[in-house]
Amino acid sequence: MIRLPHSHSSVSILSFICLLLSISTYHFLYSGTTQTLHKPRADNHIIRFIQYKKAHEFREYLERNVKLKGWEWVERNNPAMQFPTDFALVAIQQGFIDLLTGEFRKLGLVKDVNLDLSFQRDVLSEKNGTFADGKKRPGKIFTAMSFEDDLANGSRVELSAGRNLLMQKSQVTSLFGADTLWSKGYTGSKVKMAIFDTGIRADHPHFRNIKERTNWTSEDTLNDNLGHGTFVAGVIASQDEECLGFAPDTEIYAFRVFTDAQVSYTSWFLDAFNYAIARKMDVLNLSIGGPDYLDLPFIEKVWEITANNIIMVSAIGNDGPLYGTLNNPADQSDVIGVGGIDYNDHIASFSSRGMSTWEIPHGYGRIKPDIVAYGREIMGSKISRGCKSLSGTSVASPVVAGIVCLLVSVIPDEKRKEIINPASMKQALVEGASKLLGPNMYEQGAGRVDLLESYEILKNYEPRASIFPDVLNNMDCPYSWPFCRQPLYAGAMPVIFNSTILNGMGVIGYVESPPSWHPTNEEGNLLSIHFTHSDVIWPWTGYLALHVQIKDEGAHFSGQIEGNVTVDIYSPPAQGEKNPRRSTCVLQLKLKVIPTPPRSVRILWDQFHSIKYPPGYIPRDSLDVRNDILDWHGDHLHTNFHIMFNMLRDAGYYVETLGSPFTCFDAHQYGTLLLVDLEDEYFPEELKKLRDDVVNDGLGIAVFADWYNVDSMMKMKFFDDNTRSWWTPVTGGANVPALNDLLAPFGIAFGDKILNGDFMINAEQSRYASGTDIAKFPGGGYLHSFPFLDSSESGATQNFLLSGMSKADSPILGLLEVAGGRIAVYGDSNCLDSSHMVTNCYWLLKKILDFTAKNIKDPILFSDSSKQDKPLYFNDNQLPSRRTDVNFSTYSRVVGKELICGSDSRFEVRGTKGYALHVRGRNRRLPGYGGIDFGGGFNFTREVPIFSNSKSTEKDDDDPSGNRYLQYFYRNDLDLPELVASHWLIPVVVAVAGFVLLYSFRKIRQKGRRRRKGSGSSRFTTP
């Protein structure tokens, strides 16, 4: 018996439920956001132009040429608006960002379009940084720039004639002999000093010459409510006897660019910079900095500042004692970057140190800081009256800025513009500096600033060009570290020394003829130097890089090579001159050379496959570190792996750097290829060559990996209010899928566990910090396992289920002999990285290298109990896989790139595809040291930064149906326009489905009624 009416009733109820579900879903997604729906959120964007005009002219230009809706002009009511500007600020609704930025970029006067990034810093806290407990605070990534010492916090001492020795030392002006210049009548008179900070109060009793105060923030005040700007001004120009400044008659121009919440925006800085140019400032102090050297609008405006003859002084950063922690913009060659020392002439522990990491992908970084100054427990002015003590490189920076103001005033006013410029001032500072005993060049630069020596240089200065540093002596230790730690020898990768050209002759200059090498003796002909240099020296500075190697005929030479490198520089004639200005720069070389060491003690470090922040969200290697979530220290032998480098040299190993693909080195020269903490992919040619190098040529490989777990990576994502986008790691601590490709021919693979804990091996206590496990390993090798808990997202559930039970053993160390070569793999690199190291594993590294290079087998590592009788097997389908929603070519030097041996390769293969591939690469220019490749993939040329993943995945490309809308249900990383669309897309889809279902069931019910009606008529008429 059929009961259609009841069935139809159930269907109707089900349809009604679907309808209610769609309505409730709509309300759930939109509850509390009605206003946002009616008025979409708009983000401010900076439109930069190729010329200066009045703001209203640009407004008319944009409104006349872009008729589309979704954007509006943003008025900037600040003092800069009385002058021409080179940018506009517009608010663009999120749903129109792609369309409108594309339309703006088509306009002939538009240079580019960028998000108006926000800045935030904590000026008074040493510990409070951008990240806290693994989460990012609002604003651009900046480091803390000054802090109050415990002594200052604990004792608010009223200074008097009977103050103690510590407080006497804090009168920093006397330590530099400022009173000597004061007695000569030099006090900073007629020098315009721009202080970009938190403002200053107009009636402050410490200052006699506050010329102008300007506010560039959204707050309606000119006063300093934090105290940092006042303190900086006091170090420069205070007249109070208890905290004297260097140049009390300097004209102070206070630029309030930070709010009371210590927030600023790029547009505020751009307007303030333009105003500083228009008002013809002489010196500018910027006590801020951060690791992002790819904020193009900000950096290019800094170049423009110095190009307009404004001397910029900036703090090098408070991220010491770690290496590779230079802050931008102090890491730029046209800026005077200042580090900090204490009163014993020791580098302050907080002071960041070199090299400049933005140049590492192109070869080698430059020396920074330029100079150091006292930066601990310096006395300066309080907000309203009195003095206090602060420490930090943002304190050392105004010390140098005050010295610069004093030095500028030495030159008569009518001659200042002829003599004083950013290059000539830096020449006077670095040439006059006192080299400190102990610190190396990447810690102290030229040394402690010496006011009186710099005064003598400037007093008789004639415009010229020079090289900094002007001597490379690899026998001068420790100053010339790391060059003094390893002599030169034939057959090695080129040693790269990157120096700075300072051109005091003019803002623009040129290399007149190629640099040349002039040896002082016959042995000097054994030295081969390839030069790379700036084509155009602008603004005021350029680079000269030496790629040095010993010729093959010097394989048995032992001794010293001396000589000079010279390069001729010229600049256009100055005003009133007819002929170009010319100068010859000299770089003196003193180099120790030894016979080529045996293969077994030569290690090749892979630098080529390392990726760091920026341009992508490259996460830290140890997930236990919650206050620094980015991997930004360079991952270089001479930055955060510098202690390991020193250890290897002490152990008798010679370590060289590979900055090109694997096809660009000769495996016969090396005992071990050392792969540590690598994030990039590999060319197919590299995979093949490395297999052949191991099997046929006996090359050893030592791999130190890191965690890689996609679920954990997705959990680490956060929304950054600064860039208005989701940030998700583009890879793990290491690129395990790529490493697995590399190790696949040998039957080895890493897994996706994230293991933490302590373990003992060979009586050595070790810490495994967010390392991975070994998932595949062949029989016959040696494998070491230890009990750890898996803290990955997938392992967390298992750990919960197994709570109270013993930890499971996970293999983390494997050693294997393969034909003529040997391989060692270890799942963690934190024990080699000095950035966040808990315990080191240098002892393990030495034992591994003894095995891979010399076939020396430690009895503990090669015990019978650790030998694998059968393979450790793991299904390939279960191994870690690559994320398909990331456009990895944006960050990679491999994906979408051409295989070519760069300028850091040996000269015989430079510009080719390598030793095994005797094919020339296509004729193209390699990236230079003097510039950055700001390609279209970087965040400052897009409204959605590079940290957002590509809108199309590999699956999209392969799917002809373009199953795009289902991605809104499953994708974890969405660009903001897609997020907005998903708000209405999901409820609409559910609602439509409900209506379709209701309509379908209604049709079925009507059809059923007709059938019943027909059946009933038949029964009544049947006989």
Side-chain angles (χ1 to χ4, degrees):
M1 181 176 175
I2 301 175
R3 299 184 179 180
L4 286 174
H6 178 75
S7 176
H8 287 176
S9 176
S10 299
V11 169
S12 299
I13 293 173
L14 180 59
S15 302
F16 183 69
I17 291 174
C18 288
L19 180 60
L20 289 178
L21 178 61
S22 66
I23 295 173
S24 62
T25 304
Y26 179 89
H27 280 286
F28 173 76
L29 290 174
Y30 284 99
S31 59
T33 62
T34 306
Q35 184 177 357
T36 304
L37 290 174
H38 292 296
K39 188 176 181 180
R41 173 180 162 180
D43 292 328
N44 287 351
H45 283 69
I46 295 170
I47 301 177
R48 296 198 296 166
F49 300 96
I50 60 176
Q51 59 185 238
Y52 279 80
K53 288 180 179 290
K54 284 287 191 175
H56 71 86
E57 295 181 59
F58 282 135
R59 178 174 186 172
E60 294 170 0
Y61 174 75
L62 295 178
E63 292 176 344
R64 182 170 63 250
N65 290 281
V66 180
K67 302 291 187 180
L68 299 175
K69 296 181 178 180
W71 73 277
E72 61 182 5
W73 178 270
V74 177
E75 292 288 350
R76 309 186 325 263
N77 297 317
N78 59 56
M81 291 300 96
Q82 61 184 292
F83 300 103
T85 183
D86 62 340
F87 77 96
L89 194 65
V90 299
I92 305 178
Q93 295 177 11
Q94 286 186 353
F96 298 89
I97 288 177
D98 286 331
L99 176 63
L100 284 170
T101 54
E103 290 298 311
F104 287 131
R105 290 184 180 118
K106 293 177 183 177
L107 301 182
L109 294 182
V110 171
K111 181 178 181 179
D112 54 29
V113 183
N114 306 273
L115 268 172
D116 185 14
L117 302 181
S118 63
F119 298 70
Q120 184 170 37
R121 65 173 181 175
D122 193 332
V123 296
L124 295 179
S125 171
E126 178 184 17
K127 297 181 180 179
N128 293 339
T130 301
F131 297 96
D133 195 28
K135 298 180 180 179
K136 183 180 177 297
R137 295 178 178 179
K140 182 180 169 73
I141 298 173
F142 267 85
T143 59
M145 296 308 295
S146 67
F147 52 93
E148 296 188 53
D149 284 290
D150 292 337
L151 177 62
N153 285 333
S155 57
R156 294 298 179 188
V157 181
E158 292 297 328
L159 300 180
S160 64
R163 61 190 174 187
N164 58 36
L165 178 62
L166 176 63
M167 293 307 181
Q168 287 177 2
K169 288 183 177 180
S170 297
Q171 193 65 272
V172 69
T173 54
S174 61
L175 297 178
F176 289 103
D179 49 348
T180 300
L181 293 188
W182 296 341
S183 66
K184 297 178 183 292
Y186 304 127
T187 57
S189 177
K190 296 183 179 179
V191 178
K192 295 181 177 181
M193 177 71 227
I195 300 173
F196 278 54
D197 218 286
T198 58
I200 193 171
R201 299 194 176 185
D203 57 350
H204 200 291
H206 286 193
F207 306 103
R208 66 176 66 145
N209 202 2
I210 298 178
K211 201 73 173 180
E212 184 180 37
R213 299 182 304 148
T214 52
N215 175 38
W216 306 88
T217 73
S218 57
E219 296 175 340
D220 187 19
T221 181
L222 293 166
N223 290 331
D224 178 11
N225 297 316
L226 292 174
H228 195 267
T230 305
F231 185 93
V232 168
V235 174
I236 295 171
S238 169
Q239 61 179 342
D240 188 89
E241 292 183 358
E242 306 300 343
C243 47
L244 284 171
F246 283 88
D249 286 323
T250 288
E251 299 175 3
I252 294 178
Y253 290 77
F255 290 70
R256 189 176 188 269
V257 292
F258 281 93
T259 66
D260 291 344
Q262 303 169 34
V263 173
S264 187
Y265 284 85
T266 297
S267 60
W268 297 353
F269 269 97
L270 298 185
D271 272 331
F273 282 148
N274 281 343
Y275 188 71
I277 294 171
R279 296 285 282 160
K280 301 185 184 303
M281 296 294 107
D282 295 309
V283 188
L284 190 154
N285 184 81
L286 196 61
S287 288
I288 64 169
D292 184 4
Y293 48 73
L294 295 181
D295 185 1
L296 188 57
F298 183 85
I299 292 170
E300 287 194 351
K301 188 57 69 173
V302 169
W303 295 342
E304 189 177 347
I305 280 283
T306 58
N308 278 273
N309 210 25
I310 299 175
I311 301 168
M312 179 175 285
V313 183
S314 186
I316 205 68
N318 282 352
D319 297 293
L322 305 179
Y323 278 64
T325 54
L326 299 178
N327 283 200
N328 181 270
D331 63 348
Q332 298 298 308
S333 60
D334 56 319
V335 176
I336 299 172
V338 183
I341 57 175
D342 61 24
Y343 293 115
N344 294 316
D345 283 347
H346 297 150
I347 300 297
S349 58
F350 53 75
S351 186
S352 294
R353 47 213 75 187
M355 64 184 80
S356 56
T357 58
W358 62 268
E359 296 179 284
I360 288 178
H362 309 302
Y364 202 77
R366 267 183 279 185
I367 292 176
K368 281 282 184 170
D370 296 298
I371 51 174
V372 291
Y374 297 120
R376 185 176 287 282
E377 297 167 359
I378 302 299
M379 299 302 296
S381 303
K382 289 184 179 180
I383 290 181
S384 56
R385 62 181 64 252
C387 303
K388 67 177 180 179
S389 168
L390 286 182
S391 296
T393 56
S394 69
V395 173
S397 180
V399 167
V400 172
I403 287 174
V404 168
C405 288
L406 201 51
L407 290 173
V408 171
S409 68
V410 166
I411 307 301
D413 190 39
E414 65 274 9
K415 286 188 175 182
R416 283 182 188 174
K417 294 304 179 184
E418 300 175 17
I419 302 296
I420 300 297
N421 58 58
S424 64
M425 182 57 69
K426 184 177 285 193
Q427 287 172 327
L429 292 176
V430 299
E431 293 170 13
S434 300
K435 187 188 298 183
L436 304 178
L437 298 177
N440 64 57
M441 62 176 71
Y442 295 103
E443 294 174 324
Q444 64 168 307
R448 184 190 65 240
V449 63
D450 190 320
L451 170 61
L452 299 182
E453 285 295 323
S454 297
Y455 160 71
E456 292 296 331
I457 293 171
L458 274 182
K459 190 170 60 172
N460 303 304
Y461 182 83
E462 293 292 335
R464 55 183 168 81
S466 62
I467 293 177
F468 171 67
D470 59 0
V471 177
L472 174 59
N473 182 355
N474 74 350
M475 294 169 284
D476 178 17
C477 260
Y479 180 75
S480 292
W481 182 95
F483 304 100
C484 65
R485 288 289 278 147
Q486 184 164 299
L488 300 179
Y489 49 85
M493 288 289 171
V495 172
I496 304 175
F497 180 67
N498 195 2
S499 61
T500 298
I501 299 173
L502 300 173
N503 181 24
M505 299 183 297
V507 65
I508 190 169
Y510 307 91
V511 175
E512 188 166 21
S513 57
S516 56
W517 160 237
H518 308 279
T520 58
N521 51 36
E522 188 65 25
E523 290 81 3
N525 293 318
L526 295 174
L527 187 67
S528 179
I529 306 178
H530 173 75
F531 298 98
T532 55
H533 56 79
S534 302
D535 292 329
V536 179
I537 300 169
W538 182 92
W540 307 105
T541 64
Y543 75 92
L544 172 64
L546 282 62
H547 306 248
V548 180
Q549 66 182 49
I550 302 298
K551 297 176 181 178
D552 291 341
E553 52 264 39
H556 302 288
F557 175 73
S558 178
Q560 298 179 16
I561 290 178
E562 296 187 21
N564 295 324
V565 169
T566 62
V567 59
D568 295 326
I569 307 297
Y570 76 93
S571 287
Q575 186 175 3
E577 297 178 350
K578 295 181 179 179
N579 299 319
R581 292 180 167 185
R582 285 182 165 85
S583 184
T584 298
C585 302
V586 179
L587 171 60
Q588 185 179 4
L589 299 185
K590 296 180 180 180
L591 305 172
K592 181 180 180 180
V593 182
I594 62 171
T596 302
R599 178 189 188 188
S600 60
V601 295
R602 292 177 62 184
I603 300 170
L604 188 62
W605 168 271
D606 180 12
Q607 187 66 40
F608 179 77
H609 296 96
S610 176
I611 306 176
K612 61 181 176 59
Y613 169 87
Y617 178 5
I618 309 300
R620 64 192 180 277
D621 301 322
S622 173
L623 299 182
D624 290 335
V625 180
R626 309 292 291 174
N627 62 348
D628 189 5
I629 72 171
L630 299 174
D631 188 359
W632 64 281
H633 297 166
D635 284 349
H636 193 280
L637 277 172
H638 303 151
T639 57
N640 47 312
F641 289 97
H642 70 284
I643 298 177
M644 183 199 73
F645 168 75
N646 289 337
M647 180 279 300
L648 291 174
R649 288 296 300 123
D650 291 338
Y653 286 99
Y654 295 83
V655 192
E656 303 168 31
T657 302
L658 177 66
S660 291
F662 290 157
T663 58
C664 304
F665 78 92
D666 181 4
H668 298 91
Q669 299 286 334
Y670 303 96
T672 301
L673 176 65
L674 185 54
L675 312 176
V676 180
D677 185 21
L678 300 177
E679 295 88 3
D680 211 339
E681 296 287 333
Y682 301 92
F683 291 104
E685 296 90 337
E686 292 184 279
L687 302 179
K688 181 181 182 302
K689 179 181 181 292
L690 196 62
R691 177 195 174 280
D692 294 342
D693 288 343
V694 174
V695 174
N696 301 327
D697 298 325
L699 177 69
I701 300 179
V703 180
F704 285 74
D706 273 302
W707 67 272
Y708 185 97
N709 183 281
V710 173
D711 291 337
S712 297
M713 289 158 59
M714 302 308 297
K715 183 116 185 226
M716 292 172 65
K717 80 171 185 176
F718 59 86
F719 183 78
D720 178 32
D721 73 304
N722 175 30
T723 56
R724 285 80 155 181
S725 64
W726 288 97
W727 282 28
T728 305
V730 299
T731 185
N735 190 340
V736 166
L739 287 174
N740 286 347
D741 287 347
L742 198 69
L743 297 170
F746 313 111
I748 302 174
F750 291 105
D752 65 351
K753 293 182 179 180
I754 302 179
L755 306 175
N756 292 275
D758 298 318
F759 67 99
M760 291 282 292
I761 183 171
N762 196 27
E764 294 277 357
Q765 178 76 24
S766 298
R767 173 73 177 176
Y768 208 66
S770 304
T772 189
D773 62 313
I774 298 174
K776 291 180 66 175
F777 203 78
Y782 293 80
L783 200 60
H784 295 263
S785 301
F786 300 93
F788 298 112
L789 284 177
D790 180 8
S791 62
S792 66
E793 287 303 300
S794 53
T797 302
Q798 182 178 2
N799 292 337
F800 175 78
L801 297 174
L802 297 176
S803 60
M805 301 177 62
S806 61
K807 302 176 183 177
D809 281 356
S810 296
I812 61 171
L813 171 64
L815 305 108
L816 179 69
E817 291 186 87
V818 180
R822 290 164 291 277
I823 300 175
V825 294
Y826 186 68
D828 185 24
S829 73
N830 285 280
C831 56
L832 302 178
D833 185 342
S834 58
S835 290
H836 303 297
M837 180 188 297
V838 179
T839 59
N840 73 70
C841 60
Y842 300 143
W843 62 271
L844 177 61
L845 175 61
K846 286 190 286 188
K847 291 182 183 297
I848 285 176
L849 294 175
D850 287 343
F851 166 63
T852 56
K854 305 174 184 177
N855 200 21
I856 298 175
K857 299 179 179 178
D858 180 82
I860 301 296
L861 299 184
F862 290 87
S863 62
D864 292 339
S865 60
S866 61
K867 188 170 184 178
Q868 290 291 107
D869 295 328
K870 58 183 180 179
L872 174 65
Y873 177 76
F874 201 77
N875 192 315
D876 286 350
N877 294 329
Q878 296 177 320
L879 292 175
S881 59
R882 294 171 174 83
R883 290 182 58 189
T884 59
D885 56 346
V886 173
N887 181 13
F888 202 70
S889 64
T890 303
Y891 325 101
S892 173
R893 301 175 71 186
V894 174
V895 179
K897 309 302 189 301
E898 179 189 16
L899 188 154
I900 191 169
C901 299
S903 59
D904 47 12
S905 305
R906 286 191 56 80
F907 300 162
E908 59 263 27
V909 295
R910 183 178 181 270
T912 74
K913 292 184 178 294
Y915 286 97
L917 306 168
H918 301 290
V919 180
R920 299 293 297 184
R922 77 167 175 263
N923 188 16
R924 66 169 186 171
R925 178 175 173 172
L926 294 171
Y929 294 85
I932 307 171
D933 179 13
F934 297 104
F938 289 134
N939 56 327
F940 40 72
T941 59
R942 300 170 56 199
E943 71 283 355
V944 179
I946 55 175
F947 307 104
S948 298
N949 293 313
S950 172
K951 294 183 183 178
S952 61
T953 67
E954 293 178 12
K955 184 176 291 187
D956 296 334
D957 297 334
D958 298 334
D959 184 2
S961 65
N963 200 3
R964 181 182 176 206
Y965 294 106
L966 291 179
Q967 295 177 15
Y968 293 110
F969 291 90
Y970 300 114
R971 281 188 54 182
N972 292 304
D973 284 304
L974 296 171
D975 293 333
L976 288 181
E978 293 178 327
L979 282 173
V980 174
S982 67
H983 285 171
W984 57 262
L985 182 60
I986 294 176
V988 166
V989 169
V990 176
V992 170
F995 281 118
V996 169
L997 191 62
L998 180 62
Y999 179 76
S1000 299
F1001 287 149
R1002 180 179 177 85
K1003 282 290 192 180
I1004 294 173
R1005 184 174 183 182
Q1006 289 175 348
K1007 187 175 181 180
R1009 286 175 176 172
R1010 288 196 297 269
R1011 285 179 178 175
R1012 287 198 307 274
K1013 185 176 181 180
S1015 299
S1017 301
S1018 300
R1019 283 198 302 270
F1020 287 123
T1021 56
T1022 299

